[in-house]
Each structure stands twice: as structure tokens, then as C-alpha cells.
Amino acid sequence: MSGGGKGARDLWGGHYSSGPAPLMERINASIPFDKLLYAHDIVGSQAHARMLAAVGIISATDRDAILVGLDAIRADIEAGRFEFSTALEDIHLNVEARLTERIGEAGRRLHTARSRNDQVATDFRLWVRDAIDRADRALAALVTALLDLAEVHAETVMPGFTHLQAAQPVTFGHHLMAYVEMLRRDRGRLADARRRLNECPLGAAALAGTSFPIDRTMTARELGFARPMANSIDAVSDRDFALEYLAAAAICAVHLSRFAEELVLWSTPQFGFVRLGEAFTSGSSIMPQKRNPDAAELVRGKAGRMIGHLMALLVVLKGLPLAYSKDLQEDKEGVFDAAATLELCLEAMVGMLGTLQVDTARMRAAAGVGYTTATDLADWLVRVRGCAFRDAHGIAARAVRLAEQRGCGLEDLTPAELAGIDPRLDPGVREVLGVERSVASRTSLGGTAPDRVREAIAAARAELAST
Ligand code: ARG
């Protein structure tokens, strides 16, 4: 990797008489990872060259040589013909040195009115902006998959849990729509981050701005930024745009992790609510019956590193004096890994959902286990008998205790047993004790009734189509 010949010190080391220690080269070089920025570095330099020519700082001939030279370098990199050099530290110096090799003198004019400090901040913003757009598309695909599944299961009854104890029956569609809501907010967070990120650092130079008559609005526009960043010191020193991306990505990863955990639970023989396709599970070399939900486990596990990347960059930035310090070179690897991990997890979830077999009979049977309609019994006492809810709750609790003792369901208690619990209880209550009836009655806004779920699906589809 280390190039013979040219090193970074040939580009900036006029006042240096010796080369770096080999260890310095190892700790200092970012090229092993920041070569990922090549495309953004090249478009950034091309915008800069166009601007320099537009304001008369370089000639049109030099500009054209630079533009063509950079295009050729991009083609070389993409064809695997570019030899990256650790002696040239980073992607910026690698590209610039190669440009000068190709086009001579004009290449040496490109770095006018610019520093690697504003250059790297620009490249990295462009890269994170693309990562946000990729994540948004992947999120939209997962939302679509969830909506399709929720539609099929708008009426499928399953147990809803609190404390992982059977609580009240819900519809599977409603449960899935909870994740749709989380992912909608994840998209919103990414969109917010993108809006704040979308200002251009280029022209801040090292930290103070430049004495050349540059046109920062032009470079900002060329690169699709809304405007130049207002303060040159801020432009080269903050990485809050990367933090916001990492935070949004980590929150999304936590959402995916919770969903993955539910897939793991639901696919156990004990729950048996779903079966994951062979394509996303693995067998065991010793236990022939096993179907392990590896992909779901990995989505669950990878949330750990996503959270770690956010923490790592927060710690790098805390206490760092303005403006640029080399610590900031530590900003990239975590973001690159977070983006790759997030996109992989989102795609894996779509893949898993595509193979999901839902055992609706098993879900329905489980929905009634654990006296999950005890609240319906209490609500009936309030609605039909005019009880206060606190009293109704006590009566329902006694009914549950008796049914537990008898080992039967609430609906199996005899008229005499019901009357023995409280004279206001009679067999008329049985009509609210079925799980279908229970979910159908939850018609409050945002509730689990199938009609409400279908409304929520329609609203989410409309929103998805408009974004
Ligand atoms: N590779 C460096 C980074 O990622 C580029 C900026 C270098 N600036 C400097 N003043 N040495 O941060």
C-alpha cells in the first residue's frame, strides 16, 4: 500500500528535512478507510475548480485539464487501476498527487483557496448525505413490507403483552403497525439531520476563510447544498452532522433490534407464532430439529455496534478545542460501518418478512390464554351495570381467581358462580369475553380494532406515496 516515490511531505513539507517514521505513517494514514470518499472528493474538487475559474483565480484551460484529469482518476479507481499510497496519507492527497502526475502544473493550482480541512468536511458531508438517502430508501422498503403484512393480518388476533405477560388481545396487524410508526419517525429523524447537514463547508479553508475572491454560493449550489456554512471555524471543526446521522441510525437499529427479538421469541416452538424461512435461518450440526433465527439474532446484536459508533464519536468530539484537530480523522470508520450495518439490517428484515409464515390459529389460541379478556369483563360491569371502574376491577379479579382455581376460562364460569362473585355479574357478560369481540371493541383512536388498523395502514400508505 505504501507508495514508493511521492509522499505527503512532497506536497506540504517545504520546511521539513526528513520523512516520517514508519510508525507515524501507520498511525497517521487514513487512506485504508477514507478511500471510500473518493467519488465525493472528486466532485468536490471539480466544483472547486469550476468556481476558481468562474471568479478568475485559475484559467479555463487549467479548469478543463483538472476536470478531465479528475474524471480519469475516478475511472481508474472504479476500474481498480489506482494505486493508493499510505505515504500520501489520505484520499485528498492521493487524488491530488495523481492529478498532478497526469496533468502537471494545473494540478498544483487546484488547492488554491482551499485546505484539506474544508475539503474533508465537505467530502464527509456529501458522503453522509448519500448514506441518509440510501437509508431512507431502505426504510421505505421495510415500511412497505410491513404494511403489506399488516394488511393481511388486520384481523388476526394475537396476545398483546406487557411485562411479557399476556395482557389483552390485539391484532397482529396492529402490532406490526407499531413498528411502522417507529420507522416513520426514523425516516423523519434522518430527514431532519439531512436538512441541517446540507450546508457547504468549502471555502472555510484551514479555519479562517481565504483572501481569494471565491464564490462559496456557487460551490454550495454545484454540490447540491442549500447554502455555504456561515462560520469558517465551525465549518471545519464540527461533526454534529455525523453525530445526528449516527444517532438516527442507532435509534433505528434499536427499533430493528426489538423487532428482531420478537421474531426470535415468536419463532420458538414455545410461542410458535411464526416460522422464518430456511433462507434466513440455520440448522444445528448436532440437534437435527433446530431452526435457528440467526439473521434476526444478528440484527438484534448489531444494534450494539451502532450504539457504540455514536458513543465513540461523541467522546472524540467532547473537549476538542476549535478548530480542526487530527482527532477528527477518527470520525469516519464508525460512520462507514454504521451505514453499511444499518443498510444490511434493513434489507435483512425485508428478506425475513418475505419468508415469514404466520400461524394464525396458534396466535388466536394464545390470545385468550392468561385471562386476557378480564379487562373486557370489568369494562362490561362499568358499561352495563354502572359500576365504578375500581369496583369492576376488583370483581373481575375475583372472577379470574375463581377461574384459575377451577382451571377454566372466564367464559366457563357458571351463572351461579358468577352471581356468587357479585350479584351484578350474569352470563350476559360472556358475549364480551371472546378475543375477536375484545379486539373489535378497541375502536378508540390508535386502538387495535381491525377497522382502526385498516385506517392506519391507509394513512401510512398515503404518506409513503408522498415521500
Ligand atoms: N485525513 C484528514 C482527516 O480525515 C484530512 C484533513 C487533514 N488536515 C490536516 N490539517 N492535516 O481529517
Side-chain angles (χ1 to χ4, degrees):
M1 178 85 106
S2 177
K6 283 251 178 279
R9 288 180 192 204
D10 298 301
L11 291 166
W12 54 255
H15 63 300
Y16 270 68
S17 51
S18 63
L23 264 175
M24 171 57 179
E25 206 173 287
R26 269 178 58 204
I27 193 171
N28 198 36
S30 52
I31 192 65
F33 51 88
D34 72 10
K35 57 182 160 193
L36 266 189
L37 294 176
Y38 79 89
H40 303 92
D41 192 67
I42 287 171
V43 294
S45 288
Q46 289 179 325
H48 184 64
R50 281 194 204 97
M51 182 278 292
L52 290 178
V55 300
I57 297 172
I58 62 170
S59 68
T61 320
D62 283 350
R63 174 198 61 202
D64 293 342
I66 290 169
L67 297 181
V68 171
L70 287 170
D71 279 339
I73 289 171
R74 175 173 29 220
D76 280 351
I77 293 175
E78 284 169 3
R81 284 193 302 261
F82 191 98
E83 217 188 296
F84 292 101
S85 151
T86 47
L88 285 164
E89 288 186 15
D90 56 25
I91 187 63
H92 324 293
L93 294 185
N94 268 267
V95 170
E96 190 189 330
R98 184 77 192 95
L99 181 68
T100 299
E101 254 172 53
R102 287 186 87 104
I103 68 169
E105 183 69 11
R108 299 179 64 79
R109 296 188 196 282
L110 171 62
H111 211 54
T112 314
R114 182 176 83 166
S115 150
R116 271 190 293 162
N117 297 348
D118 59 339
Q119 189 179 354
V120 71
T122 304
D123 294 1
F124 198 29
R125 273 180 193 257
L126 289 171
W127 196 93
V128 172
R129 193 175 70 187
D130 281 351
I132 287 175
D133 293 344
R134 287 195 305 274
D136 186 63
R137 283 194 295 276
L139 271 162
L142 179 54
V143 167
T144 303
L146 282 167
L147 288 172
D148 292 345
L149 198 59
E151 189 121 62
V152 173
H153 293 288
E155 297 192 18
T156 302
V157 181
M158 69 180 282
F161 298 90
T162 64
H163 312 267
L164 197 55
Q165 304 288 320
Q168 291 174 346
V170 295
T171 52
F172 185 42
H174 193 55
H175 193 106
L176 293 171
M177 287 302 289
Y179 286 106
V180 167
E181 289 300 311
M182 295 175 226
L183 300 179
R184 283 182 56 227
R185 291 192 295 275
D186 289 331
R187 293 185 73 202
R189 265 182 284 277
L190 287 169
D192 288 346
R194 192 190 199 283
R195 211 170 302 122
R196 270 185 296 279
L197 165 152
N198 206 27
E199 296 185 344
C200 188
L202 207 57
L207 79 164
T210 173
S211 58
F212 290 96
I214 59 171
D215 181 351
R216 291 193 59 206
T217 303
M218 175 178 168
T219 39
R221 194 178 343 106
E222 291 249 342
L223 295 170
F225 288 111
R227 63 192 77 81
M229 289 183 76
N231 181 291
S232 61
I233 296 175
D234 174 49
V236 296
S237 63
D238 206 0
R239 296 291 184 268
D240 59 354
F241 66 93
L243 287 176
E244 287 198 50
Y245 170 71
L246 288 173
I251 293 170
C252 179
V254 167
H255 288 152
L256 299 183
S257 178
R258 295 183 78 171
F259 192 17
E261 161 64 4
E262 298 207 301
L263 292 177
V264 170
L265 272 178
W266 294 341
S267 62
T268 57
Q270 286 72 21
F271 270 83
F273 291 178
V274 300
R275 196 167 157 88
L276 289 160
E278 285 178 5
F280 289 91
T281 57
S282 74
S284 157
S285 52
I286 178 165
M287 297 165 285
Q289 84 285 10
K290 288 298 280 292
R291 186 182 276 216
N292 296 324
D294 299 40
E297 294 166 76
L298 286 162
V299 170
R300 186 177 59 184
K302 283 177 190 294
R305 67 208 263 181
M306 304 285 288
I307 296 164
H309 292 320
L310 170 62
M311 293 307 130
L313 185 56
L314 282 166
V315 176
V316 166
L317 290 173
K318 86 162 274 302
L320 206 60
L322 304 185
Y324 179 88
S325 295
K326 201 57 171 274
D327 312 47
L328 290 174
Q329 185 163 283
E330 290 293 310
D331 60 359
K332 293 173 200 59
E333 285 163 286
V335 169
F336 293 159
D337 183 70
T341 304
L342 180 66
E343 290 159 33
L344 180 62
C345 290
L346 287 165
E347 284 177 42
M349 289 306 277
V350 174
M352 276 187 275
L353 289 183
T355 71
L356 200 70
Q357 287 169 258
V358 181
D359 190 336
T360 55
R362 181 119 185 165
M363 278 187 174
R364 191 199 173 282
V369 174
Y371 306 104
T372 54
T373 56
T375 316
D376 298 275
L377 188 151
D379 288 352
W380 180 88
L381 283 164
V382 171
R383 210 173 36 245
V384 179
R385 296 279 181 250
C387 284
F389 183 76
R390 289 289 171 209
D391 299 329
H393 181 278
I395 296 166
R398 291 203 293 282
V400 168
R401 206 175 322 127
L402 181 61
E404 266 172 354
Q405 279 162 9
R406 280 201 39 211
C408 69
L410 289 171
E411 63 284 2
D412 304 319
L413 294 173
T414 64
E417 283 170 329
L418 289 172
I421 293 164
D422 190 281
R424 285 166 290 187
L425 265 184
D426 66 55
V429 73
R430 283 188 192 142
E431 73 182 58
V432 302
L433 298 180
V435 292
E436 271 84 13
R437 178 64 193 256
S438 172
V439 296
S441 74
R442 299 280 190 283
T443 54
S444 55
L445 182 72
T448 198
D451 287 345
R452 284 302 196 189
V453 173
R454 287 194 192 93
E455 277 168 27
I457 294 169
R461 280 204 200 282
E463 189 197 60
L464 195 62
S466 73
T467 52

